[in-house]
Amino acid sequence: MSKTILITGSSSGIGRAVAMYFQLRGWNVSATMRQPDKENELEKLDGVRLFPLDVLDENSIHKAIEGTIQHFGSIDVIVNNAGYGLVGPFEASTHDQVKKQFDTNVFGVMNVCRGILPYFRAKKAGTIINIASVGGRITFPLYSLYHGTKWAVEGFSESLHYEIKPFGIKVRIIEPGAIKTDFYQRSMDVVHRDELTAYDQYVDKTFNNIQDIGNTAAGPEVVAKKIFKAATDRGWRLRYAVGGGAPALLFMRRILPNSWFFAAVRMVAEKARK
């Protein structure tokens, strides 16, 4: 019998690529998103079913899980992909913006995990794949709030894996580097306050440098391939770095003194633009 994967945030980017990658390999795909009525491509693929799911609405999470099980007979893997990026000087952010960032990227992941765990625990099997980021273990300027959420996902996932391993449930953390998706356009908000000009010169110098890295990176298919590996691995490996030089960056972070690594980040982020 074909295995079934449920993916949050399937309307674009990594989530959409994952849905298509697994479908091509014969999996049943529950592609969830906030507004499935606006999707007209995935629903045409064999073995794909769309479900509405808002990671901040626990009722919609339960309905999507129950609907997937009813339609496909089971869930074997769940991918927490839905995310949101808030970038810019921290001082320019508002309470509501910070709340939205953590609600989506942290509490949304926790809500979905809480929703699926009773089913996986009863089944004594299942894999939870949380999409973190290379930015969950290293940082770049102007991304303090986004990094804060991804570091939280890393810590949450690492601790969770101890608790649920006795029930046969695996946790995987996917750590993408820069990936060319609409994250750098549609899914990203830039904080700004007209009256706060102290950071303008620094933002002008660094923001586009960091954007350029994403705009010239590999596409989301490389992440989908890594997620497939994580979903089908038989062992208990926790972390999977992928794309955008992520493995190399994490290696450098481990071996270099802080001062050297921070200097390297500044060299890339703060370089003068021609």
Side-chain angles (χ1 to χ4, degrees), residues 2-73:
S2 297
K3 290 191 174 183
T4 300
I5 185 170
L6 185 152
I7 309 156
T8 69
S10 298
S11 61
S12 64
I14 291 173
R16 188 183 194 84
V18 173
M20 298 179 76
Y21 194 92
F22 275 75
Q23 186 272 341
L24 284 172
R25 282 149 186 81
W27 282 55
N28 300 318
V29 177
S30 174
T32 76
M33 57 198 74
R34 286 182 296 177
Q35 297 177 304
D37 54 305
K38 294 185 177 181
E39 171 58 49
N40 54 22
E41 182 181 359
L42 289 176
E43 64 182 353
K44 297 176 182 177
L45 301 176
D46 292 339
V48 176
R49 181 71 181 267
L50 306 187
F51 291 94
L53 189 155
D54 182 337
V55 297
L56 302 184
D57 181 348
E58 293 192 15
N59 185 52
S60 81
I61 294 169
H62 291 304
K63 285 184 176 179
I65 290 172
E66 290 170 1
T68 300
I69 295 169
Q70 182 176 3
H71 185 76
F72 291 119

Side-chain angles (χ1 to χ4, degrees), residues 11 40 123 131 135 156 159 161 167 196 200 205 212 257:
S11 61
N40 54 22
K123 187 181 177 182
I131 309 300
F156 165 69
S159 181
H161 99 278
F167 303 106
L196 181 61
D200 287 357
K205 181 169 60 173
D212 285 347

Side-chain angles (χ1 to χ4, degrees), residues 144-218:
S144 59
L145 292 168
Y146 179 77
H147 285 312
T149 64
K150 293 304 183 180
W151 282 56
V153 169
E154 289 270 355
F156 165 69
S157 302
E158 183 175 308
S159 181
L160 181 67
H161 99 278
Y162 292 111
E163 301 173 19
I164 61 180
K165 184 176 180 180
F167 303 106
I169 307 169
K170 298 174 181 178
V171 177
R172 315 292 201 193
I173 307 171
I174 306 297
E175 300 171 323
I179 300 295
K180 188 174 183 179
T181 68
D182 66 352
F183 173 83
Y184 293 94
Q185 288 83 35
R186 185 181 68 85
S187 301
M188 177 184 286
D189 279 348
V190 181
V191 297
H192 178 74
R193 280 167 44 193
D194 289 340
E195 70 277 14
L196 181 61
T197 61
Y199 296 94
D200 287 357
Q201 184 176 356
Y202 187 78
V203 172
D204 289 343
K205 181 169 60 173
T206 60
F207 183 73
N208 287 330
N209 288 333
I210 297 172
Q211 291 293 94
D212 285 347
I213 296 172
N215 291 332
T216 58

Side-chain angles (χ1 to χ4, degrees), residues 139-141 202 205-210 212-213 249 252 256 258-274:
T139 62
F140 301 98
Y202 187 78
K205 181 169 60 173
T206 60
F207 183 73
N208 287 330
N209 288 333
I210 297 172
D212 285 347
I213 296 172
L249 281 169
M252 289 172 60
L256 293 179
N258 280 344
S259 59
W260 291 19
F261 187 80
F262 295 160
V265 170
R266 290 192 180 96
M267 186 182 302
V268 173
E270 300 175 2
K271 64 183 179 183
R273 296 179 65 85
K274 297 180 180 179

